[in-house]
């Protein structure tokens, strides 16, 4: 049942991220974008301490690539790298407070955007100023993503209080290293 819920969350998040939340919201003149799939991935990384959120990020990113991208792997790679980095950081922490959750949300958004910029740069786009994009678009969106992750983490952790949503084994892929 847990995997059915994760698949439905991935499909629902993909549809909302690609349609309703794809346009930039103009909050006080800032082009802030909401990435619901990334928020779900990061919330799952914080709730589950295993490799499932990374696989969820890859699968949902591939679905985003098939539906909304011209380059296969753009979203999948960026979500997977962001989930892996967040998982390593979250594995090092014993307890979370709201500042940790905010920083993981903001950092995950920045990692995702930097990986996407690296992919675009590798494809031959040389006419963009990463510094200006970072200050004008990434930082406000990262702060908003960090704030929204607090809410999404609360909702996902409430969902995981049900016994049918908990993972059977509590192992992490970093435990073997």
């Amino acid at each position: 049942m847990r995997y059915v819920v994760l698949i439905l969350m991935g499909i629902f998040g993909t549809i909302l991220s690609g349609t309703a939340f794809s346009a930039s919201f103009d909050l006080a003149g800032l082009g802030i974008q909401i990435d619901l799939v990334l928020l779900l991935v990061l919330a799952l990384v914080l709730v589950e301490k295993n490799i499932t959120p990374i696989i969820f990020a890859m699968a949902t990113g591939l679905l985003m690539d098939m539906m909304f991208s011209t380059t296969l792997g753009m979203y999948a790679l960026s979500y997977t790298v962001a989930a892996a980095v967040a998982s390593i950081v979250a594995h090092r922490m014993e307890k979370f407070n709201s500042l940790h959750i905010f920083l993981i949300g903001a950092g995950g958004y920045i990692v995702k955007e930097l990986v996407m910029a690296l992919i675009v740069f590798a494809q031959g786009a040389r006419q963009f100023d990463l510094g200006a994009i970072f200050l004008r678009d990434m930082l406000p969106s990262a702060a908003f993503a960090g704030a929204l992750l607090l809410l999404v983490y609360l909702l996902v952790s409430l969902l995981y209080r049900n016994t049918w949503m908990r993972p059977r084994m509590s192992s992490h892929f970093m435990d073997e290293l």
Side-chain angles (χ1 to χ4, degrees), residues 84-99:
V85 169
S87 180
I88 290 169
V89 169
H91 182 69
R92 304 277 183 227
M93 296 181 201
E94 292 180 15
K95 291 179 148 182
F96 299 117
N97 61 21
S98 57
L99 179 63

Side-chain angles (χ1 to χ4, degrees), residues 6-68:
L6 288 176
I7 289 169
L8 290 175
M9 283 173 46
I11 291 171
F12 182 70
T14 299
I15 291 170
L16 282 180
S17 287
T19 57
F21 295 142
S22 65
S24 297
F25 290 97
D26 194 17
L27 297 172
L30 302 172
I32 294 177
Q33 294 182 342
I34 298 174
D35 194 349
L36 185 62
V37 172
L38 181 69
L39 293 173
L40 287 172
V41 165
L42 294 176
L44 287 174
V45 164
L46 293 173
V47 171
E48 282 198 24
K49 300 276 193 243
N50 56 22
I51 200 165
T52 305
I54 297 172
I55 295 169
F56 176 80
M58 186 176 10
T60 309
L62 281 173
L63 183 62
M64 289 276 291
D65 285 332
M66 288 187 290
M67 292 178 69
F68 304 114

